[in-house]
């Protein structure tokens, strides 16, 4: 378990995970290394859309096709900060390249580009993120709090939020009804 790297994977909350932030959550892991992990909950839209967010942060939204996209609760850390998952990675001031295709940007320049040119057009905007200290995610995995599966960008960008968790589960060949909230240890 020490050398596991779950960057570009989904974490699927097990039924026994009763933390209100993570119950029934699908988390996209953007970075996982010896210092800890950072991810975005990708199936929790909040009561705000992109147009409302842009109005709040005073960026003009000319790309009207993106106006009704939901903004997401990305996790309980830094709820006052926006994070943009996007495809393609592009070149922004503060981008973490998750893989060769998907980036996570926390700088305002990506939002300005979205507002002006509608690019990148494949986006998921969240307020906050999910973070784990060194070893914390590994401990939670050992306690059977999460299932993991390699992520697919199509689940992030092509599906509505309510279909993302079932689609990730389907990659494992199981459905939520098959999960027990009691872990077995041999």
């Amino acid at each position: 378990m020490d050398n596991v790297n779950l960057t570009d994977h989904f974490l699927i909350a097990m039924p026994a995970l009763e933390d209100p932030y993570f119950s029934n959550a699908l988390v996209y892991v953007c970075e996982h290394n010896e210092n800890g992990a950072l991810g975005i909950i990708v199936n929790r839209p909040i009561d705000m859309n992109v147009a409302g967010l842009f109005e709040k942060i005073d960026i003009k939204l000319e790309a009207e096709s993106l106006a009704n996209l939901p903004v997401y609760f990305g996790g309980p850390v830094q709820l006052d900060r926006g994070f943009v998952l996007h495809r393609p990675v592009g070149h922004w001031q503060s981008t973490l390249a998750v893989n060769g295709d998907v980036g996570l940007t926390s700088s305002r320049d990506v939002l300005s580009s979205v507002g002006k040119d509608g690019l990148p057009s494949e986006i998921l905007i969240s307020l906050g993120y999910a973070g784990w200290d060194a070893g914390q995610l590994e401990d939670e995995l050992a306690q059977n709090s999460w299932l993991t599966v390699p992520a697919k960008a199509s689940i992030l960008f092509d599906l509505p939020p309510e279909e993302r968790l079932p689609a990730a589960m389907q990659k494992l060949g199981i459905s939520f009804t098959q999960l027990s909230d009691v872990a077995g240890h041999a």
Side-chain angles (χ1 to χ4, degrees), residues 106-142:
S106 58
S107 53
R108 190 176 170 99
D109 58 340
V110 74
L111 294 175
S112 297
S113 177
V114 166
K116 186 174 185 311
D117 304 318
L119 297 173
S121 60
E122 292 184 291
I123 59 171
L124 189 151
I125 300 175
S126 76
L127 296 177
Y129 70 91
W132 293 265
D133 289 331
Q136 186 181 0
L137 181 55
E138 291 79 359
D139 290 346
E140 291 179 15
L141 290 166

Side-chain angles (χ1 to χ4, degrees), residues 14-18 143-145 176 178-186:
M14 290 292 284
L17 186 59
E18 294 177 356
Q143 295 165 18
N144 294 312
S145 296
F176 235 26
Q178 293 172 294
L179 294 180
S180 168
D181 58 359
V182 179
H185 295 280

Side-chain angles (χ1 to χ4, degrees), residues 21-182:
Y21 292 125
F22 295 109
S23 177
N24 295 312
L26 179 64
V27 178
Y28 179 61
V29 179
C30 301
E31 183 175 50
H32 184 208
N33 57 37
E34 68 279 355
N35 300 317
L38 179 150
I40 300 290
I41 299 173
V42 297
N43 65 333
R44 289 267 167 76
I46 61 174
D47 193 21
M48 180 187 295
N49 61 21
V50 169
L53 175 67
F54 276 50
E55 191 175 305
K56 253 188 161 149
I57 60 174
D58 204 26
I59 293 179
K60 187 171 172 35
L61 181 61
E62 295 173 31
E64 292 179 17
S65 62
L66 303 176
N68 289 320
L69 286 179
V71 173
Y72 292 81
F73 169 74
V77 183
Q78 289 192 326
L79 288 169
D80 57 338
R81 245 179 114 189
F83 297 86
V84 183
L85 267 176
H86 52 86
R87 181 169 68 170
V89 174
H91 302 284
W92 313 104
Q93 286 174 4
S94 181
T95 298
L96 169 66
V98 180
N99 58 35
D101 199 29
V102 176
L104 177 69
T105 299
S106 58
S107 53
R108 190 176 170 99
D109 58 340
V110 74
L111 294 175
S112 297
S113 177
V114 166
K116 186 174 185 311
D117 304 318
L119 297 173
S121 60
E122 292 184 291
I123 59 171
L124 189 151
I125 300 175
S126 76
L127 296 177
Y129 70 91
W132 293 265
D133 289 331
Q136 186 181 0
L137 181 55
E138 291 79 359
D139 290 346
E140 291 179 15
L141 290 166
Q143 295 165 18
N144 294 312
S145 296
W146 303 98
L147 290 174
T148 65
V149 64
K152 280 184 74 171
S154 60
I155 292 174
L156 287 173
F157 299 112
D158 299 342
L159 295 178
E162 66 277 4
E163 292 179 20
R164 291 178 186 149
L165 180 60
M169 297 280 296
Q170 195 172 22
K171 283 193 65 167
L172 287 172
I174 56 177
S175 71
F176 235 26
T177 57
Q178 293 172 294
L179 294 180
S180 168
D181 58 359
V182 179

